[in-house]
Amino acid sequence: MAVLQIVEFPDPVLRRRARPVRRVDRRTQRLVDDMVDPVRDANGIGLAANQVGVLRRIIVIQMPGGIEPRVYVNPRIVHRQGRRDVLEGCLSVPGYSAIITRSVWVRTSGLDGNSRLVRLHADGLLAQALEHEIDHLNGILYMDHLKSHQELVRDGTEVEEESPAEVAVA
Ligand code: ZN
């Protein structure tokens, strides 16, 4: 297994749109296998292929609590609803986090690692992770969602306003 390095901001690959995967083949599966370790090692909840320098529409979601990592190929958000503030970070922007607005729930469609169609209705942390990773596939970083009154905060900084309890890094 290759050890993949997580690409960090401002690497231009993070700003490019990933291409759809035509066929989930051996190469895809090998890439997916190689993406699982870095997200786990970094205590992240997800990783997009752009973040390991590969411009293909593949994401891995690793929810906390010992749940097996899930792979989504060509995932897209077909519906989103509601708005909520979340504390978010990114494995490609280490050392920072910010409160941004995400959807309350999303509906997604995509393939799993065996080319089967998967539709998800997700809320909470899973919805946040899916939005974050699918953004990556479109060259969007979470900081892009900051509004003028919101700011990027360096880890370890005391924040006065009341903020969501835990930062989700993906
Ligand atoms: Zn990220």
Side-chain angles (χ1 to χ4, degrees), residues 94-109:
Y96 290 89
S97 60
I99 296 171
I100 61 162
T101 306
R102 290 281 186 202
S103 307
V104 172
W105 61 263
V106 297
R107 205 178 286 145
T108 65
S109 175

Side-chain angles (χ1 to χ4, degrees), residues 46-48 51 88-93 132-133 136 140-142 169-170:
L47 195 67
Q51 291 179 279
E88 194 160 309
C90 179
L91 295 175
S92 296
V93 191
H132 182 109
E133 300 314 335
H136 270 305
I140 296 168
L141 297 172
Y142 79 100
V169 181

